[in-house]
Amino acid sequence: MQNPGSAGKWTARHLDASGAAHRAIHVPPSQSPAQFLGKEHQVLAVSDPALCRTSGLLQGRRMGAARGPVEVGTHDLSDWSSCEGRRDSHRADLVGARLRRWRRGSALLCSQAVGSCCCKCSNVFNLIPRRQTEESQSLEAHHLQGQREGLPLSQGENGVVLQRLLLEKKESNEGDGHLDTCRIPEVPRLLYPKAQLLKPSRVDVLVMTPWFAPIIWDGTFDSAILDAQFRDTTIGLTVFAIKKYVVFLRLFLETAEKYFMVGHKVTYYVFTDRPADVPQIALRAGRQVVVLHVGSYRRWQDISMHRMEMISNFSRQRFLHEVDYLVCLDVDMKFSDHVGVEILAPLFGTLHPVFYAADRQSFTYERRPLSRAYIPRDEGDFYYAGGFFGGSVPEVYRLTTACHQAMAADQAQGIEAIWHDESHLNRYLLSHKPSKVLSPEYLWDEQMLQRPPLLRKLRYVAVPKNHGEIRNR
């Protein structure tokens, strides 16, 4: 709540038991609305307009800065000092005119506020479809058109593009509905073991980051509950099969069909310069392979770094319209156990199998300050692997766009980060904390590393290969 005498305006609606609105109430500048109104007339103060809700008798929202006496009524009075001293009849005329303007703009203000709120939602339930009636669809389409025309062009180009694409997706999703990003889905009746508060399922490993992001290990989740929560979700999987890496595709896709997101809708996006070599495999219902023909590069490092650019471009062009989440993987791997919706979150990264138990001084971050990927030796949470990351499509778009731009800036300075796109991924996830972290169960190399007892399952493992032969041809 605002302090007495401080700048700000409040609009509120005071209703009696019958629902009728009282006349406007004059509040002296020495008192806040809450102090003036007393216990029986409360003003709801909310820092985020999107979270405004009816509270007892009143609805309220904080507006722009102003000085002088404050009035609380059913309208938005933008010039309090000019209103002081007017007769009641003149005030009534002003109220009526401004009330009409406020009503015309209220729907747009509320839709923009809700959009701001939902972009911040970090629970696992974003992007759950909600059906609407034809009337509500047409009304929302009208407001969305107004939003599209009025998007602030003072923002960066990428921000404007993302806002426009999100609005378009909201209009066009499945034709008869839109995505309610803050809705909690209803779960059907299920039988499952009760969680024991005083008997945690894992005491041998860290299961929560300092910023309250869960670390996903076997035994920390119930797949049946999660499958029910994500039952209406479509997952996109991106994989790059450039040059001779196309030879890994068949095993990759066959094992994915056996273990990856079983029971859910999946689109495999295969980026390749050899579309004729993409194998035909049997797919489960609701799943498809989409081949995206892209160019090749001479060095494997260039192929690796251009992944960020291509994922960013295709996110803008089509992924935002086709899937809810993106999972970005290396192709020279195979699935060996369940990988399901437990990994889904607005943004997730995977602990690198070599560094999951190391201190930050041992991480192979980019240490040259000239690079945009630079991380000092006294900073860093984890070392994330470049071969397994993802999140909601808007968040993956932001991540890949930022990494691509950072690599382009490095190239202009004549510098290349030590581990290319992985170095920039780690830089991004340091300043944009992931909302879930996957344990090394989700990325392991049995040829290079001895499996420790804490890894109860190996879900996604490296395929034996000659790196020199594959990368250089």
Side-chain angles (χ1 to χ4, degrees), residues 197-257:
L197 187 63
L198 302 181
K199 296 180 180 180
S201 58
R202 296 297 295 262
V203 296
D204 54 335
V205 292
L206 183 69
V207 297
M208 188 74 69
T209 70
W211 58 92
F212 284 106
I215 304 176
I216 311 303
W217 302 86
D218 181 59
T220 61
F221 59 90
D222 189 312
S223 293
I225 300 174
L226 294 171
D227 284 337
Q229 290 173 331
F230 284 93
R231 63 187 177 275
D232 294 321
T233 301
T234 302
I235 301 99
L237 185 157
T238 68
V239 65
F240 285 76
I242 307 295
K243 293 185 175 181
K244 293 193 70 174
Y245 277 85
V246 74
V247 302
F248 298 107
L249 259 181
R250 179 174 294 278
L251 181 62
F252 177 90
L253 292 172
E254 288 177 346
T255 57
E257 278 299 286

Side-chain angles (χ1 to χ4, degrees), residues 394-424:
E395 287 298 336
V396 173
Y397 173 75
R398 295 183 183 100
L399 180 155
T400 53
T401 301
C403 289
H404 167 60
Q405 292 175 345
M407 285 185 280
D410 274 5
Q411 187 178 29
Q413 295 291 325
I415 190 170
E416 188 174 282
I418 181 172
W419 287 110
H420 319 107
D421 56 326
E422 185 174 85
S423 297
H424 290 276

Side-chain angles (χ1 to χ4, degrees), residues 61 99-115 139-144 146-147 170:
R61 59 185 173 88
L99 176 58
R100 288 191 293 274
R101 289 200 300 271
W102 177 81
R103 283 173 174 169
R104 286 196 297 268
S106 62
L108 178 59
L109 287 170
C110 290
S111 61
Q112 289 174 332
V114 169
L139 286 173
E140 182 171 23
H142 173 75
H143 296 320
L144 289 171
Q147 282 182 284
K170 196 174 185 182

Side-chain angles (χ1 to χ4, degrees), residues 99-151:
L99 176 58
R100 288 191 293 274
R101 289 200 300 271
W102 177 81
R103 283 173 174 169
R104 286 196 297 268
S106 62
L108 178 59
L109 287 170
C110 290
S111 61
Q112 289 174 332
V114 169
S116 172
C117 164
C118 292
C119 289
K120 299 174 185 176
C121 287
S122 61
N123 60 47
V124 299
F125 310 122
N126 58 342
L127 306 175
I128 302 297
R130 174 171 61 85
R131 303 296 178 186
Q132 292 182 303
T133 63
E134 292 183 2
E135 180 181 0
S136 65
Q137 291 173 37
S138 60
L139 286 173
E140 182 171 23
H142 173 75
H143 296 320
L144 289 171
Q145 179 64 27
Q147 282 182 284
R148 182 180 295 104
E149 293 173 354
L151 282 174

